[in-house]
């Protein structure tokens, strides 16, 4: 049996040329059949078209294929993986020129559509008019823009026009929640996740896919607290600040969701958003249900929507209110999630058009209060005979006492710092 004619393709070639780390490698096989692959020990996966896992490396090998539009949505294609399909025909069906690159085993680059030139010029450009047949590509281009924005990439005007035409055609209505979520999570992992959502806005896809986010556009806010502008601009700044603070994707998602309730504020109440925290919690629940978001994302996002305002008031709180907030956010059972909530709140406090990033003392207070409460000796309270409601009351009082100690120590430290500053 003659050796397989294989080519490394797609993202691994692109990232290699950009000098970026390459993790996963995908391969295209030309001139083979499914039986050829099976005879060589490859394991077939995938139901829509044959994809095979290499028996040693586990890397994916796909038969060269073409696609013909045969129905609505990104699944509405007839796939041809005949052995006569050429490498160029396979590359032509891809979304962007920078993804339509191949490399043979000698390291030679095959570039029939100008991908290397577009890499050099930092352009995201569609390969062919067939781009307009697949609605998922609107999200993919937006995601690549978020990923490569820091490298100076821009979307070609003709490509952006095709994206807008795809939206206007109604094709985005056929995207499944799972695929929308998958692309969105990948975008959240990018250095500038805001560019994903802003690109969707520009291409008119935001209102179709994320109407709750689109409702934030033009929702004014009190200028004293929000010099950056309306709720949409604020949300994007908070998201990018969260990306600077944390690589944890639920934190980034919760930052995106934290002010969702502002989109429901009646126009006659603007620029104020009374009760947007509780309204936002309900909207986030529905948003996550619609997109089938994992529980870890949903739980943190709902907490961020409901409690970010109260966290911002920590410096004004007495010990009883701090303990009440810790209980309400389930911080004692889920301290790590509470820490993530404080990161979201910090991003919110700093995502307000400010060039200089200050600290977040409110988070310091709440975290110190939580750590103090974690020192309560439950067994000691039980040994004292407290049970049921009496135990709960005694536990609460002990937590309040410990938080009072924290607040007193903080006040003493602040006073000493003030005296020292005056002496200097």
């Amino acid at each position: 049996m003659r050796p397989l004619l294989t080519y490394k393709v797609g993202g691994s070639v692109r990232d290699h040329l950009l000098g970026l780390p390459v993790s996963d490698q995908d391969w295209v096989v030309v001139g083979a059949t499914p039986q050829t692959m099976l005879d060589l020990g490859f394991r077939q996966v995938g139901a829509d078209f044959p994809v095979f896992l290499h028996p040693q490396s586990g890397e994916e090998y796909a038969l060269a294929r073409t696609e013909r539009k045969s129905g609505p949505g990104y699944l509405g294609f007839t796939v041809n993986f005949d052995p006569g399909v050429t490498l160029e025909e396979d590359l032509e069906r891809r979304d962007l020129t920078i993804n339509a690159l191949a490399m043979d085993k000698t390291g030679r680059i095959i570039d029939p559509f100008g991908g290397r030139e577009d890499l050099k010029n930092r352009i995201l450009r569609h390969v062919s008019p067939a781009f307009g047949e697949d609605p998922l590509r609107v999200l993919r281009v937006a995601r690549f823009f978020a990923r490569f924005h820091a490298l100076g990439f821009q979307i070609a005007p003709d490509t952006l026009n095709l994206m807008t035409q795809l939206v206007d055609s109604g094709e985005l209505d056929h995207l499944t929640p799972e695929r929308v979520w998958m692309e969105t999570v990948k975008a959240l992992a990018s250095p500038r996740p805001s560019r994903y959502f802003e690109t969707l806005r520009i291409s008119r896809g935001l209102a179709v896919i994320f109407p709750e986010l689109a409702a934030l556009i033009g929702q004014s806010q009190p200028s004293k607290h929000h010099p950056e502008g309306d709720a949409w601009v604020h949300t994007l700044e908070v998201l990018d600040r969260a990306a600077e603070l944390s690589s944890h994707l639920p934190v980034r998602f919760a930052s995106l969701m934290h002010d969702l309730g502002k989109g429901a504020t009646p126009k006659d109440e603007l620029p104020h958003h009374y009760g947007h925290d509780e309204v936002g919690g309900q909207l986030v629940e529905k948003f996550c249900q619609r997109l089938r978001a994992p529980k870890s994302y949903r739980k943190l996002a709902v907490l961020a929507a409901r409690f970010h305002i109260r966290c911002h008031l920590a410096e004004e709180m007495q010990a009883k209110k701090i303990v009440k907030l810790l209980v309400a956010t389930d911080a004692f059972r889920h301290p790590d999630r509470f820490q993530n909530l404080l990161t979201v709140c910090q991003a919110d406090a700093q995502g307000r058009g400010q060039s200089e990033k200050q600290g977040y003392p409110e988070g310091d207070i709440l975290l110190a209060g939580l750590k103090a409460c974690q020192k309560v000796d439950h067994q000691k309270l039980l040994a004292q005979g407290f049970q049921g409601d009496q135990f709960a009351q005694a536990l609460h009082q002990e937590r309040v006492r410990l938080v009072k100690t924290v607040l007193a120590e903080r006040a003493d430290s602040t006073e000493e710092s003030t005296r020292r500053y005056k002496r200097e």
Side-chain angles (χ1 to χ4, degrees):
M1 184 179 295
R2 60 188 178 89
L4 290 178
L5 196 56
T6 61
Y7 300 88
K8 193 182 299 183
V9 294
S12 61
V13 180
R14 176 200 66 223
D15 291 348
H16 167 74
L17 294 174
L18 285 172
L20 299 175
V22 175
S23 52
D24 298 327
Q25 298 186 128
D26 294 326
W27 301 80
V28 158
V29 183
V30 177
T33 67
Q35 191 58 51
T36 303
M37 304 298 286
L38 295 174
D39 290 345
L40 289 171
F42 285 77
R43 181 165 60 89
Q44 182 173 341
V45 295
D48 298 327
F49 47 81
V51 175
F52 300 85
L53 300 183
H54 192 280
Q56 277 80 46
S57 69
E59 293 176 336
E60 288 191 0
Y61 284 67
L63 299 182
R65 64 187 188 271
T66 60
E67 296 173 344
R68 180 175 57 83
K69 186 73 169 175
S70 58
Y74 70 95
L75 292 176
F77 291 90
T78 300
V79 180
N80 170 35
F81 47 88
D82 184 271
V85 176
T86 66
L87 175 64
E88 181 170 331
E89 288 174 326
D90 180 274
L91 295 176
E92 188 176 11
R93 70 176 178 77
R94 296 174 184 267
D95 50 9
L96 299 172
T97 60
I98 65 170
N99 295 330
L101 295 161
M103 179 189 295
D104 66 17
K105 290 186 175 180
T106 70
R108 181 176 66 94
I109 301 296
I110 297 92
D111 177 21
F113 303 105
R116 296 186 80 170
E117 187 68 15
D118 284 340
L119 280 177
K120 176 182 176 182
N121 295 324
R122 300 301 197 247
I123 296 293
L124 300 176
R125 188 192 314 277
H126 63 283
V127 174
S128 73
F131 176 96
E133 296 177 350
D134 185 353
L136 189 64
R137 290 177 172 178
V138 174
L139 278 67
R140 282 178 57 82
V141 174
R143 171 167 64 83
F144 282 121
F145 184 46
R147 179 179 177 186
F148 294 127
H149 180 270
L151 299 179
F153 276 81
Q154 297 295 324
I155 302 173
D158 287 350
T159 302
L160 187 57
N161 287 338
L162 274 178
M163 293 166 65
T164 304
Q165 291 173 23
L166 255 173
V167 174
D168 292 345
S169 72
E171 280 278 326
L172 264 65
D173 294 333
H174 299 284
L175 292 175
T176 65
E178 291 83 1
R179 291 312 297 263
V180 172
W181 179 255
M182 184 184 303
E183 291 297 321
T184 301
V185 168
K186 290 179 180 179
L188 289 174
S190 68
R192 285 293 300 279
S194 67
R195 298 305 87 194
Y196 172 77
F197 299 97
E198 180 63 7
T199 301
L200 292 179
R201 182 191 69 81
I202 294 172
S203 63
R204 298 202 282 264
L206 188 72
V208 177
I209 304 173
F210 305 120
E212 301 92 340
L213 290 172
L216 296 172
I217 300 171
Q219 291 289 81
S220 61
Q221 306 172 109
S223 57
K224 177 182 177 182
H225 302 292
H226 290 280
E228 74 283 357
D230 68 17
W232 170 247
V233 175
H234 171 62
T235 295
L236 296 189
E237 291 196 3
V238 172
L239 174 58
D240 283 342
R241 181 59 182 143
E244 294 173 353
L245 292 171
S246 175
S247 61
H248 190 51
L249 297 187
V251 166
R252 299 183 181 193
F253 178 68
S255 299
L256 176 71
M257 296 282 102
H258 84 283
D259 265 351
L260 210 62
K262 288 182 176 179
T265 301
K267 296 296 183 183
D268 59 359
E269 292 184 10
L270 297 176
H272 303 289
H273 296 273
Y274 305 116
H276 79 272
D277 47 353
E278 289 301 323
V279 172
Q282 297 169 17
L283 288 175
V284 172
E285 287 277 12
K286 294 177 181 178
F287 185 101
C288 292
Q289 288 175 7
R290 187 178 80 250
L291 291 184
R292 300 169 190 175
K295 183 178 179 180
S296 60
Y297 286 79
R298 176 176 58 84
K299 289 284 190 179
L300 181 59
V302 171
L303 284 176
R306 291 185 58 202
F307 292 103
H308 67 280
I309 297 176
R310 274 171 270 188
C311 289
H312 292 334
L313 298 175
E315 287 189 298
E316 304 170 18
M317 287 182 180
Q318 295 181 343
K320 286 183 179 180
K321 284 198 172 183
I322 289 178
V323 173
K324 183 178 180 181
L325 177 60
L326 294 173
V327 171
T329 55
D330 208 6
F332 299 117
R333 291 198 305 165
H334 300 282
D336 291 342
R337 189 176 67 194
F338 184 73
Q339 175 71 74
N340 289 331
L341 171 62
L342 295 181
T343 302
V344 176
C345 293
Q346 180 178 350
D348 178 34
Q350 296 173 352
R352 303 183 182 222
Q354 300 173 8
S355 58
E356 183 177 350
K357 303 294 189 284
Q358 75 280 14
Y360 186 58
E362 298 87 347
D364 297 337
I365 292 171
L366 293 172
L367 194 57
L370 174 60
K371 290 181 178 179
C373 291
Q374 289 173 329
K375 298 176 181 177
V376 175
D377 189 341
H378 290 215
Q379 294 302 319
K380 183 178 179 180
L381 294 178
L382 290 172
Q384 292 175 357
F386 293 112
Q387 294 182 355
D389 291 342
Q390 288 183 335
F391 175 83
Q393 186 177 1
L395 177 61
H396 174 75
Q397 290 174 347
E398 182 63 10
R399 286 170 172 171
V400 171
R401 184 187 69 79
L402 291 171
V403 173
K404 282 182 178 179
T405 301
V406 168
L407 296 180
E409 291 173 351
R410 184 179 180 85
D412 291 343
S413 176
T414 302
E415 185 176 344
E416 175 59 28
S417 298
T418 302
R419 285 198 300 266
R420 187 181 303 115
Y421 175 78
K422 289 180 178 180
R423 287 198 301 269
E424 295 174 352

